[in-house]
Coordinates of all heavy atoms in Angstrom, one line a residue:
M1 N -20.3 0.0 -14.1 CA -18.8 0.0 -14.0 C -18.2 -1.3 -14.4 O -18.7 -2.4 -14.0 CB -18.5 0.3 -12.5 CG -17.0 0.3 -12.2 SD -16.7 0.7 -10.5 CE -16.6 2.5 -10.6
E2 N -17.2 -1.3 -15.3 CA -16.6 -2.5 -15.8 C -15.6 -3.0 -14.7 O -15.0 -2.3 -14.0 CB -15.9 -2.2 -17.1 CG -16.9 -1.8 -18.2 CD -16.1 -1.5 -19.5 OE1 -15.0 -1.9 -19.6 OE2 -16.7 -0.8 -20.3
E3 N -15.3 -4.3 -14.8 CA -14.4 -4.9 -13.9 C -13.0 -4.3 -14.0 O -12.3 -4.2 -13.0 CB -14.3 -6.4 -14.1 CG -15.3 -7.2 -13.4 CD -15.1 -8.7 -13.5 OE1 -14.0 -9.2 -13.2 OE2 -16.1 -9.4 -13.9
D4 N -12.5 -4.0 -15.2 CA -11.2 -3.5 -15.4 C -10.9 -2.1 -14.9 O -9.9 -1.6 -15.0 CB -10.7 -3.7 -16.8 CG -11.6 -2.9 -17.8 OD1 -11.7 -1.6 -17.7 OD2 -12.3 -3.5 -18.6
E5 N -12.0 -1.5 -14.3 CA -11.8 -0.1 -13.7 C -11.2 -0.2 -12.3 O -11.0 0.8 -11.7 CB -13.1 0.6 -13.7 CG -13.5 1.0 -15.1 CD -14.8 1.8 -15.2 OE1 -15.2 2.4 -14.1 OE2 -15.4 1.9 -16.2
S6 N -11.1 -1.4 -11.7 CA -10.4 -1.5 -10.4 C -9.1 -2.3 -10.5 O -8.9 -3.0 -11.5 CB -11.4 -2.1 -9.4 OG -11.6 -3.5 -9.7
M7 N -8.3 -2.1 -9.6 CA -7.0 -2.8 -9.5 C -6.8 -3.3 -8.1 O -7.2 -2.7 -7.2 CB -5.9 -1.8 -9.9 CG -4.5 -2.4 -9.7 SD -3.2 -1.1 -10.2 CE -3.1 -1.5 -11.9
N8 N -6.2 -4.5 -8.0 CA -5.9 -5.0 -6.7 C -4.6 -4.2 -6.1 O -3.7 -4.1 -6.8 CB -5.6 -6.5 -6.7 CG -6.9 -7.3 -6.5 OD1 -7.9 -6.7 -6.4 ND2 -6.8 -8.6 -6.6
I9 N -4.7 -3.8 -4.9 CA -3.6 -3.2 -4.2 C -3.2 -4.1 -3.0 O -4.1 -4.5 -2.2 CB -4.1 -1.8 -3.6 CG1 -4.7 -0.9 -4.7 CG2 -3.0 -1.1 -2.9 CD1 -3.7 -0.4 -5.7
A10 N -2.0 -4.4 -3.0 CA -1.4 -5.2 -1.9 C -0.7 -4.3 -0.9 O 0.2 -3.5 -1.4 CB -0.5 -6.3 -2.4
L11 N -1.0 -4.4 0.4 CA -0.4 -3.5 1.3 C 0.6 -4.3 2.2 O 0.2 -5.3 2.8 CB -1.5 -2.9 2.2 CG -2.6 -2.1 1.5 CD1 -3.8 -1.9 2.3 CD2 -2.0 -0.9 0.9
F12 N 1.8 -3.9 2.2 CA 2.9 -4.6 2.9 C 3.5 -3.7 4.0 O 3.8 -2.5 3.7 CB 4.0 -5.1 2.0 CG 3.6 -6.1 1.1 CD1 3.2 -5.8 -0.2 CD2 3.8 -7.5 1.4 CE1 2.8 -6.8 -1.1 CE2 3.4 -8.5 0.5 CZ 2.9 -8.1 -0.7
E13 N 3.6 -4.2 5.2 CA 4.3 -3.4 6.3 C 5.7 -3.9 6.4 O 6.0 -5.0 6.4 CB 3.6 -3.7 7.6 CG 4.2 -2.9 8.8 CD 3.5 -3.2 10.1 OE1 2.6 -4.0 10.2 OE2 4.0 -2.6 11.1
K14 N 6.6 -2.9 6.4 CA 8.0 -3.2 6.6 C 8.3 -3.2 8.1 O 8.1 -2.2 8.8 CB 8.9 -2.1 6.0 CG 10.4 -2.5 6.1 CD 11.2 -1.5 5.3 CE 12.7 -1.9 5.4 NZ 13.6 -0.9 4.8
L15 N 8.6 -4.3 8.7 CA 8.8 -4.5 10.1 C 10.2 -4.0 10.5 O 11.1 -3.7 9.7 CB 8.6 -6.0 10.5 CG 7.3 -6.6 10.1 CD1 7.3 -8.1 10.4 CD2 6.1 -5.9 10.8
V16 N 10.4 -3.8 11.8 CA 11.6 -3.3 12.4 C 12.8 -4.1 11.9 O 13.9 -3.6 11.6 CB 11.6 -3.3 13.9 CG1 12.9 -2.8 14.5 CG2 10.5 -2.3 14.4
D17 N 12.7 -5.4 11.8 CA 13.8 -6.3 11.4 C 14.0 -6.4 9.9 O 14.8 -7.1 9.4 CB 13.6 -7.7 11.9 CG 12.4 -8.4 11.4 OD1 11.7 -7.9 10.5 OD2 12.1 -9.6 11.8
G18 N 13.2 -5.6 9.1 CA 13.4 -5.5 7.7 C 12.4 -6.5 6.9 O 12.4 -6.4 5.7
Q19 N 11.8 -7.4 7.6 CA 10.9 -8.3 7.0 C 9.7 -7.6 6.5 O 9.3 -6.5 7.0 CB 10.5 -9.4 7.9 CG 11.6 -10.3 8.4 CD 12.1 -11.2 7.3 OE1 11.4 -11.7 6.5 NE2 13.4 -11.4 7.3
L20 N 9.0 -8.1 5.5 CA 7.7 -7.6 5.0 C 6.6 -8.5 5.4 O 6.7 -9.7 5.3 CB 7.8 -7.5 3.4 CG 8.8 -6.6 2.8 CD1 8.7 -6.6 1.3 CD2 8.7 -5.2 3.4
Q21 N 5.5 -7.8 5.9 CA 4.3 -8.6 6.3 C 3.2 -8.0 5.5 O 2.9 -6.9 5.5 CB 4.1 -8.4 7.8 CG 2.8 -9.0 8.3 CD 2.6 -8.8 9.8 OE1 3.6 -8.7 10.5 NE2 1.4 -8.6 10.2
K22 N 2.5 -8.9 4.8 CA 1.3 -8.5 4.0 C 0.2 -8.2 5.0 O -0.2 -9.1 5.8 CB 0.9 -9.6 3.0 CG -0.1 -9.2 2.0 CD -0.3 -10.3 1.0 CE -1.2 -9.8 -0.1 NZ -1.3 -10.9 -1.2
I23 N -0.4 -7.0 4.9 CA -1.5 -6.6 5.7 C -2.8 -7.0 5.0 O -3.7 -7.6 5.7 CB -1.5 -5.1 5.9 CG1 -0.2 -4.7 6.6 CG2 -2.7 -4.6 6.7 CD1 0.0 -3.2 6.7
S24 N -2.9 -6.7 3.8 CA -4.1 -7.0 3.1 C -3.9 -6.9 1.6 O -3.0 -6.3 1.1 CB -5.3 -6.2 3.5 OG -5.2 -4.9 3.1
E25 N -4.9 -7.4 0.8 CA -5.0 -7.2 -0.6 C -6.4 -6.9 -0.9 O -7.3 -7.7 -0.5 CB -4.4 -8.3 -1.4 CG -4.4 -8.1 -2.9 CD -3.6 -9.2 -3.7 OE1 -2.7 -9.8 -3.1 OE2 -4.0 -9.4 -4.9
R26 N -6.7 -5.8 -1.6 CA -8.1 -5.5 -1.9 C -8.2 -4.7 -3.2 O -7.2 -4.1 -3.6 CB -8.6 -4.6 -0.7 CG -7.8 -3.4 -0.5 CD -8.3 -2.6 0.7 NE -7.8 -3.2 1.9 CZ -8.1 -2.7 3.1 NH1 -8.8 -1.6 3.3 NH2 -7.6 -3.3 4.2
P27 N -9.3 -4.8 -3.8 CA -9.5 -4.0 -5.1 C -9.7 -2.5 -4.7 O -10.4 -2.2 -3.8 CB -10.8 -4.6 -5.7 CG -11.5 -5.2 -4.6 CD -10.5 -5.6 -3.5
W28 N -9.1 -1.7 -5.5 CA -9.3 -0.2 -5.4 C -9.8 0.3 -6.7 O -9.4 -0.1 -7.8 CB -8.0 0.5 -5.1 CG -7.5 0.4 -3.6 CD1 -8.0 -0.5 -2.7 CD2 -6.6 1.3 -3.0 NE1 -7.4 -0.2 -1.5 CE2 -6.5 0.8 -1.7 CE3 -5.8 2.3 -3.4 CZ2 -5.6 1.4 -0.7 CZ3 -4.9 2.9 -2.5 CH2 -4.9 2.5 -1.2
D29 N -10.7 1.3 -6.6 CA -11.2 1.9 -7.8 C -10.4 3.0 -8.2 O -9.4 3.4 -7.6 CB -12.7 2.3 -7.7 CG -12.9 3.4 -6.6 OD1 -12.0 4.1 -6.3 OD2 -14.1 3.5 -6.2
E30 N -10.7 3.6 -9.3 CA -9.9 4.7 -9.9 C -9.7 5.9 -9.0 O -8.7 6.5 -8.9 CB -10.5 5.2 -11.2 CG -9.7 6.2 -12.0 CD -10.3 6.6 -13.3 OE1 -11.1 5.8 -13.9 OE2 -10.1 7.7 -13.7
K31 N -10.8 6.2 -8.2 CA -10.7 7.4 -7.3 C -9.7 7.1 -6.2 O -8.9 8.0 -5.8 CB -12.1 7.7 -6.7 CG -13.0 8.3 -7.7 CD -14.4 8.6 -7.1 CE -15.3 9.2 -8.1 NZ -16.6 9.5 -7.5
L32 N -9.7 5.9 -5.6 CA -8.7 5.6 -4.6 C -7.3 5.6 -5.1 O -6.4 6.1 -4.4 CB -9.1 4.3 -3.9 CG -10.2 4.3 -2.9 CD1 -10.6 2.9 -2.5 CD2 -9.8 5.1 -1.7
I33 N -7.1 5.1 -6.3 CA -5.8 5.0 -6.9 C -5.3 6.5 -7.2 O -4.1 6.8 -6.9 CB -5.8 4.2 -8.2 CG1 -6.1 2.7 -7.8 CG2 -4.5 4.3 -9.0 CD1 -6.3 1.8 -9.0
Q34 N -6.2 7.3 -7.6 CA -5.8 8.7 -7.8 C -5.4 9.4 -6.5 O -4.5 10.3 -6.5 CB -6.9 9.5 -8.5 CG -7.1 9.2 -10.0 CD -8.3 9.9 -10.6 OE1 -9.0 10.6 -9.9 NE2 -8.5 9.7 -11.9
A35 N -6.0 9.0 -5.4 CA -5.7 9.6 -4.1 C -4.3 9.3 -3.7 O -3.7 10.0 -2.9 CB -6.7 9.1 -3.1
L36 N -3.7 8.2 -4.2 CA -2.3 7.9 -3.9 C -1.3 9.0 -4.3 O -0.3 9.1 -3.7 CB -1.9 6.6 -4.6 CG -2.5 5.3 -4.1 CD1 -2.1 4.2 -5.1 CD2 -2.1 5.0 -2.7
N37 N -1.7 9.8 -5.3 CA -0.8 10.9 -5.7 C -0.7 12.0 -4.7 O 0.3 12.7 -4.7 CB -1.4 11.6 -7.0 CG -1.3 10.7 -8.2 OD1 -0.3 9.9 -8.3 ND2 -2.3 10.7 -9.1
V38 N -1.6 12.1 -3.7 CA -1.6 13.2 -2.8 C -1.5 12.7 -1.3 O -1.2 13.5 -0.4 CB -2.8 14.2 -2.9 CG1 -2.7 14.9 -4.2 CG2 -4.1 13.4 -2.8
A39 N -1.8 11.4 -1.1 CA -1.8 10.9 0.3 C -0.4 10.4 0.7 O 0.2 9.8 -0.2 CB -2.9 9.8 0.4
N40 N 0.0 10.6 1.9 CA 1.2 10.0 2.4 C 1.0 9.0 3.5 O 1.9 8.2 3.8 CB 2.1 11.1 3.0 CG 2.5 12.1 1.9 OD1 2.9 11.7 0.8 ND2 2.5 13.4 2.2
F41 N -0.2 9.0 4.1 CA -0.6 8.1 5.2 C -1.9 7.5 4.9 O -2.7 8.0 4.2 CB -0.7 9.0 6.5 CG 0.6 9.6 6.8 CD1 0.9 10.9 6.4 CD2 1.6 9.0 7.6 CE1 2.1 11.5 6.7 CE2 2.8 9.6 8.0 CZ 3.0 10.9 7.5
V42 N -2.0 6.2 5.5 CA -3.3 5.5 5.4 C -3.6 4.9 6.8 O -2.8 4.7 7.6 CB -3.2 4.3 4.3 CG1 -3.1 4.9 2.9 CG2 -2.1 3.3 4.7
L43 N -4.9 4.8 7.0 CA -5.4 4.1 8.2 C -6.0 2.8 7.9 O -6.8 2.7 6.9 CB -6.5 5.0 8.9 CG -6.0 6.3 9.6 CD1 -7.2 7.1 10.0 CD2 -5.1 6.0 10.8
I44 N -5.5 1.7 8.5 CA -6.0 0.4 8.3 C -6.3 -0.2 9.6 O -5.3 -0.4 10.4 CB -5.0 -0.5 7.5 CG1 -4.6 0.3 6.2 CG2 -5.5 -1.8 7.2 CD1 -3.4 -0.3 5.5
G45 N -7.5 -0.6 9.9 CA -7.8 -1.2 11.1 C -7.5 -0.3 12.3 O -7.1 -0.8 13.4
G46 N -7.6 1.0 12.2 CA -7.4 1.9 13.3 C -5.9 2.2 13.5 O -5.5 2.9 14.4
K47 N -5.0 1.6 12.7 CA -3.6 1.8 12.8 C -3.1 2.7 11.6 O -3.5 2.5 10.5 CB -2.9 0.5 12.7 CG -1.4 0.5 13.1 CD -1.0 -1.0 13.2 CE 0.5 -1.1 13.6 NZ 1.0 -2.5 13.7
E48 N -2.2 3.7 11.9 CA -1.8 4.6 10.9 C -0.4 4.2 10.3 O 0.5 3.8 11.1 CB -1.6 6.0 11.5 CG -1.3 7.1 10.4 CD -1.3 8.5 10.9 OE1 -1.1 8.7 12.1 OE2 -1.5 9.4 10.1
Y49 N -0.3 4.2 9.0 CA 0.9 3.8 8.3 C 1.3 4.9 7.4 O 0.5 5.7 6.8 CB 0.6 2.6 7.4 CG 0.3 1.3 8.2 CD1 -1.1 1.0 8.4 CD2 1.2 0.5 8.7 CE1 -1.4 -0.1 9.1 CE2 0.9 -0.7 9.4 CZ -0.4 -1.0 9.6 OH -0.8 -2.1 10.3
E50 N 2.6 5.1 7.2 CA 3.1 6.0 6.2 C 3.5 5.1 4.9 O 4.0 4.1 5.0 CB 4.4 6.7 6.7 CG 5.0 7.6 5.6 CD 6.2 8.4 6.2 OE1 6.7 8.1 7.3 OE2 6.7 9.3 5.4
M51 N 3.0 5.7 3.8 CA 3.3 5.0 2.5 C 4.7 5.4 2.1 O 5.0 6.6 1.9 CB 2.3 5.4 1.4 CG 0.9 4.9 1.8 SD -0.3 5.2 0.4 CE -0.5 6.9 0.6
I52 N 5.6 4.4 2.0 CA 7.0 4.7 1.6 C 7.2 4.6 0.1 O 7.9 5.5 -0.4 CB 7.9 3.6 2.3 CG1 7.7 3.7 3.8 CG2 9.4 3.8 2.0 CD1 8.0 5.0 4.5
E53 N 6.7 3.6 -0.5 CA 6.9 3.5 -2.0 C 5.9 2.5 -2.5 O 5.3 1.7 -1.8 CB 8.3 3.0 -2.3 CG 8.8 1.7 -1.8 CD 10.2 1.4 -2.0 OE1 11.1 2.3 -2.1 OE2 10.5 0.2 -2.2
G54 N 5.8 2.5 -3.8 CA 4.9 1.6 -4.5 C 5.6 0.9 -5.7 O 6.5 1.4 -6.2
R55 N 5.1 -0.3 -6.0 CA 5.6 -1.0 -7.1 C 4.5 -1.7 -7.9 O 3.6 -2.3 -7.3 CB 6.6 -2.1 -6.5 CG 7.1 -3.0 -7.6 CD 8.1 -4.0 -7.0 NE 7.4 -5.1 -6.4 CZ 8.0 -6.2 -6.0 NH1 9.3 -6.3 -6.1 NH2 7.4 -7.1 -5.4
L56 N 4.5 -1.5 -9.2 CA 3.5 -2.1 -10.0 C 4.0 -3.5 -10.4 O 5.1 -3.6 -11.1 CB 3.3 -1.3 -11.3 CG 2.2 -1.7 -12.2 CD1 0.8 -1.9 -11.5 CD2 2.0 -0.8 -13.3
N57 N 3.4 -4.5 -9.9 CA 3.8 -5.9 -10.2 C 2.9 -6.4 -11.4 O 1.8 -6.8 -11.2 CB 3.6 -6.8 -9.0 CG 4.1 -8.2 -9.2 OD1 4.1 -8.7 -10.2 ND2 4.4 -8.8 -8.0
L58 N 3.5 -6.3 -12.6 CA 2.8 -6.7 -13.8 C 2.6 -8.2 -13.9 O 1.7 -8.7 -14.5 CB 3.5 -6.2 -15.0 CG 3.5 -4.7 -15.1 CD1 4.2 -4.2 -16.4 CD2 2.1 -4.1 -15.1
D59 N 3.5 -9.0 -13.2 CA 3.4 -10.5 -13.3 C 2.1 -10.9 -12.6 O 1.4 -11.8 -13.0 CB 4.6 -11.1 -12.6 CG 5.9 -11.0 -13.4 OD1 5.8 -10.8 -14.6 OD2 6.9 -11.0 -12.8
L60 N 1.7 -10.2 -11.5 CA 0.5 -10.6 -10.7 C -0.6 -9.6 -10.9 O -1.7 -9.8 -10.3 CB 0.9 -10.6 -9.2 CG 2.0 -11.6 -8.8 CD1 2.3 -11.5 -7.3 CD2 1.5 -13.0 -9.1
N61 N -0.4 -8.5 -11.7 CA -1.4 -7.5 -12.0 C -1.9 -6.9 -10.6 O -3.0 -6.7 -10.4 CB -2.6 -8.0 -12.8 CG -3.4 -6.9 -13.4 OD1 -2.9 -5.9 -13.7 ND2 -4.7 -7.2 -13.5
V62 N -0.9 -6.5 -9.8 CA -1.2 -5.9 -8.5 C -0.2 -4.7 -8.3 O 0.9 -4.8 -8.7 CB -0.9 -7.0 -7.4 CG1 -1.0 -6.4 -6.0 CG2 -1.8 -8.2 -7.5
F63 N -0.8 -3.7 -7.7 CA 0.0 -2.6 -7.2 C 0.4 -2.8 -5.8 O -0.5 -3.0 -5.0 CB -0.7 -1.2 -7.4 CG 0.1 0.0 -7.2 CD1 1.1 0.3 -8.1 CD2 -0.1 0.7 -6.0 CE1 1.9 1.5 -7.8 CE2 0.7 1.9 -5.8 CZ 1.7 2.2 -6.7
E64 N 1.6 -2.8 -5.4 CA 2.1 -3.1 -4.1 C 2.6 -1.8 -3.4 O 3.4 -1.1 -4.0 CB 3.2 -4.1 -4.1 CG 2.8 -5.4 -4.8 CD 4.0 -6.3 -5.1 OE1 5.2 -5.8 -5.2 OE2 3.8 -7.5 -5.4
L65 N 2.0 -1.6 -2.2 CA 2.4 -0.4 -1.4 C 3.2 -0.9 -0.2 O 2.8 -1.8 0.5 CB 1.2 0.3 -0.9 CG 0.4 1.1 -2.0 CD1 -0.8 1.8 -1.3 CD2 1.3 2.2 -2.6
L66 N 4.4 -0.2 0.0 CA 5.2 -0.5 1.2 C 4.9 0.5 2.2 O 4.9 1.7 2.0 CB 6.7 -0.5 0.8 CG 7.7 -0.8 1.9 CD1 7.5 -2.2 2.4 CD2 9.1 -0.6 1.4
L67 N 4.6 0.1 3.4 CA 4.1 0.9 4.5 C 5.0 0.7 5.8 O 5.6 -0.4 5.9 CB 2.7 0.6 4.9 CG 1.6 0.5 3.8 CD1 0.4 -0.1 4.4 CD2 1.4 1.8 3.2
V68 N 5.1 1.7 6.6 CA 5.7 1.6 7.9 C 4.7 2.2 8.9 O 4.0 3.1 8.6 CB 7.1 2.3 8.1 CG1 8.2 1.6 7.2 CG2 7.0 3.8 7.7
T69 N 4.7 1.6 10.1 CA 3.8 2.1 11.2 C 4.3 3.4 11.7 O 5.5 3.7 11.9 CB 3.9 1.1 12.4 OG1 3.5 -0.2 11.9 CG2 2.9 1.5 13.4
V70 N 3.4 4.3 11.8 CA 3.7 5.7 12.2 C 4.0 5.8 13.7 O 5.0 6.3 14.1 CB 2.6 6.7 11.8 CG1 2.8 8.1 12.4 CG2 2.5 6.8 10.3
S71 N 3.1 5.1 14.5 CA 3.3 5.3 16.0 C 4.5 4.7 16.5 O 5.1 5.3 17.4 CB 2.1 4.6 16.7 OG 2.0 3.3 16.3
S72 N 5.0 3.6 16.0 CA 6.2 3.0 16.5 C 7.5 3.3 15.6 O 8.5 2.8 15.9 CB 6.1 1.5 16.7 OG 5.9 0.9 15.4
G73 N 7.3 4.0 14.5 CA 8.4 4.3 13.6 C 8.6 3.2 12.6 O 9.3 3.4 11.7
G74 N 7.9 2.0 12.8 CA 8.0 0.9 11.8 C 9.5 0.5 11.6 O 10.3 0.8 12.4
G75 N 9.7 -0.2 10.5 CA 11.0 -0.7 10.2 C 11.8 0.3 9.4 O 13.0 0.2 9.2
G76 N 11.1 1.4 8.9 CA 11.8 2.3 8.0 C 12.6 3.3 8.8 O 11.9 4.3 9.3
N77 N 13.8 3.3 8.9 CA 14.6 4.3 9.6 C 14.8 5.4 8.6 O 15.7 5.4 7.8 CB 16.0 3.8 10.1 CG 15.8 2.7 11.1 OD1 14.9 2.8 11.9 ND2 16.6 1.7 11.1
R78 N 14.0 6.4 8.7 CA 13.9 7.5 7.7 C 14.6 8.7 8.2 O 14.2 9.8 7.9 CB 12.5 7.8 7.3 CG 11.8 6.6 6.8 CD 10.6 7.0 6.1 NE 10.9 8.1 5.2 CZ 10.4 8.2 4.0 NH1 9.6 7.4 3.5 NH2 10.7 9.3 3.3
Q79 N 15.7 8.5 8.9 CA 16.4 9.7 9.5 C 17.3 10.4 8.5 O 17.8 9.8 7.6 CB 17.3 9.2 10.6 CG 16.5 8.5 11.7 CD 17.4 8.0 12.8 OE1 18.6 8.2 12.8 NE2 16.8 7.1 13.6

């Protein structure tokens, strides 16, 4: 497997006050990236998050995912 077959994914939580908190940044392979097309929720450290949107940051070569906490409703008022 070549190095360029993975991409770094940065996970950001949108807090209640609107601030963004970086949860983690990790390399994802092609299979995980393809799963983004069908998944709406992720579990990280036993905590469930809803994926709100993604942004491809070409300056940093990172795909950034914006998440809100499911259990507390997070910062995203999706009413």
Side-chain angles (χ1 to χ4, degrees):
M1 180 178 272
E2 296 178 20
E3 273 187 55
D4 57 65
E5 290 184 18
S6 67
M7 170 181 273
N8 273 358
I9 305 292
L11 305 166
F12 292 91
E13 179 180 3
K14 185 175 181 183
L15 303 174
V16 175
D17 64 3
Q19 296 289 321
L20 298 181
Q21 176 179 327
K22 188 174 189 176
I23 299 171
S24 73
E25 185 171 331
R26 56 183 81 178
W28 280 19
D29 65 18
E30 186 178 332
K31 288 181 183 180
L32 282 171
I33 292 170
Q34 287 177 356
L36 290 173
N37 291 325
V38 294
N40 296 317
F41 299 89
V42 294
L43 288 172
I44 304 166
K47 193 172 179 181
E48 186 173 25
Y49 298 92
E50 182 177 4
M51 293 185 288
I52 303 301
E53 60 185 33
R55 176 175 78 169
L56 184 57
N57 185 331
L58 295 178
D59 292 336
L60 299 176
N61 197 31
V62 173
F63 188 71
E64 301 167 340
L65 287 177
L66 182 61
L67 313 171
V68 292
T69 304
V70 172
S71 59
S72 68
N77 295 324
R78 302 199 45 143
Q79 301 175 11

